[in-house]
């Protein structure tokens, strides 16, 4: 028997928030200011950043620094500062239709939690820039949950904070392999990839996505097709 959903966990940058290269720009500024990527060729460092999109930034910089936690912490702070600078310079925008998509999920009787690999200060700046404070039920960073993606902690923290009854009643959507792996490891009832961010269809399917959508606006329809919306929403 299909378990109706109660909670949808959505990634931020690349899934609901337009990235448009901002993460890579912020990484470049942080690398220039701290030298954290100097131990390897620049192209290799940039490839690693792209491959690990969606993961906790402290974890990414720990790898780039060769395990030097102090250097990684310094670089992470530089990254968060650079990201905030770029947002202030360029503004912040949603993936087209994302706010309406979130509202449609809430109208269907679902709670919606945003998750991100960013620190709370950056996460909150994005929420304020978009005016989404009242739109979502909750927004979580790795520090709120324990480990960042691809660990299941963010999804499970969202479940606990919203008092969702079971992991089978959770849907997860994101644009990266880490998003999909996090949902799978948490035991989510439905995990979708979206094609508006870092990783392509082949990578998302290989990571275990139940469906790969053009963007987040297709999520409610995909859930409805599978009979996963709450009964109140389908009556």
């Amino acid at each position: 028997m299909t378990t109706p959903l109660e909670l949808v966990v959505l990634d931020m940058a690349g899934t609901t928030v337009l990235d448009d290269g901002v993460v890579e720009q912020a990484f470049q500024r942080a690398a220039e200011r701290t030298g954290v990527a100097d131990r390897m060729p620049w192209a290799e460092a940039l490839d690693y950043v792209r491959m690990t999109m969606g993961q906790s930034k402290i974890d990414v910089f720990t790898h780039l620094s060769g395990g030097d936690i102090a250097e990684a912490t310094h670089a992470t702070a530089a990254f968060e500062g650079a990201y905030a600078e770029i947002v202030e310079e360029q503004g912040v925008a949603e993936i087209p239709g994302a706010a309406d998509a979130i509202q449609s999920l809430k109208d269907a009787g679902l709670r919606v939690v945003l998750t991100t690999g960013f620190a709370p200060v950056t996460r909150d700046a994005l929420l304020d820039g978009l005016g989404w404070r009242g739109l979502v039920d909750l927004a979580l960073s790795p520090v709120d949950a324990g480990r960042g993606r691809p660990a299941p902690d963010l999804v499970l923290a969202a479940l606990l904070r919203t008092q969702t009854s079971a992991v089978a009643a959770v849907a997860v959507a994101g644009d990266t392999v880490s998003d999909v792996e996090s949902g799978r490891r948490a035991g989510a009832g439905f995990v979708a990839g979206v094609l508006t961010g870092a990783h392509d269809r082949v990578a998302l399917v290989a990571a275990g996505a139940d469906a790969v959508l053009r963007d987040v606006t297709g999520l409610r329809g995909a859930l409805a097709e599978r009979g996963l919306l709450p009964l109140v929403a389908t009556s």
Side-chain angles (χ1 to χ4, degrees):
M1 180 177 174
T2 301
T3 301
L5 295 176
E6 301 170 29
L7 170 66
V8 179
V9 178
L10 300 175
D11 170 56
M12 293 186 70
T15 302
T16 54
V17 180
L18 191 65
D19 173 46
D20 202 21
V22 176
V23 169
E24 290 187 17
Q25 293 177 52
F27 168 65
Q28 183 167 358
R29 291 190 189 187
E32 290 170 352
R33 293 170 184 176
T34 66
V36 71
D38 290 350
R39 58 184 292 273
M40 64 180 68
W42 174 252
E44 183 180 333
L46 189 56
D47 282 346
Y48 184 78
V49 169
R50 289 170 176 161
M51 182 179 67
T52 56
M53 286 286 191
Q55 294 186 19
S56 171
K57 297 300 173 275
I58 185 66
D59 293 341
V60 175
F61 283 115
T62 297
H63 172 84
L64 294 175
S65 67
D68 186 327
I69 300 300
E71 183 180 357
T73 301
H74 180 51
T76 301
F79 171 87
E80 299 287 353
Y83 195 98
E85 290 171 2
I86 295 166
V87 167
E88 186 172 348
E89 292 163 7
Q90 302 178 9
V92 59
E94 66 172 358
I95 294 290
D100 287 343
I102 292 170
Q103 187 60 56
S104 76
L105 292 168
K106 292 178 68 67
D107 290 345
L110 297 164
R111 291 182 291 274
V112 178
V113 173
L114 299 180
T115 60
T116 179
F118 294 141
V121 63
T122 304
R123 176 200 71 205
D124 292 346
L126 293 175
L127 291 174
D128 289 339
L130 292 164
W132 283 6
R133 290 280 190 175
L135 178 64
V136 297
D137 293 275
L138 192 63
L140 298 172
S141 295
V143 69
D144 302 310
R147 297 168 295 177
R149 297 181 293 235
D153 301 32
L154 281 164
V155 176
L156 297 176
L159 176 148
L160 291 170
R161 297 278 192 97
T162 58
Q163 298 185 342
T164 298
S165 65
V167 288
V170 180
V172 174
D175 66 294
T176 71
V177 166
S178 293
D179 293 314
V180 174
E181 290 180 345
S182 179
R184 288 271 77 99
R185 293 179 187 186
F190 180 79
V191 180
V194 296
L195 296 174
T196 47
H199 297 149
D200 62 16
R201 180 181 300 273
V202 172
L204 295 168
V205 169
D210 294 309
V212 177
L213 310 173
R214 183 184 65 182
D215 57 44
V216 72
T217 64
L219 183 56
R220 178 171 169 165
L223 298 178
E225 287 173 8
R226 291 163 174 79
L228 294 172
L229 293 180
L231 295 179
V232 67
T234 57
S235 60

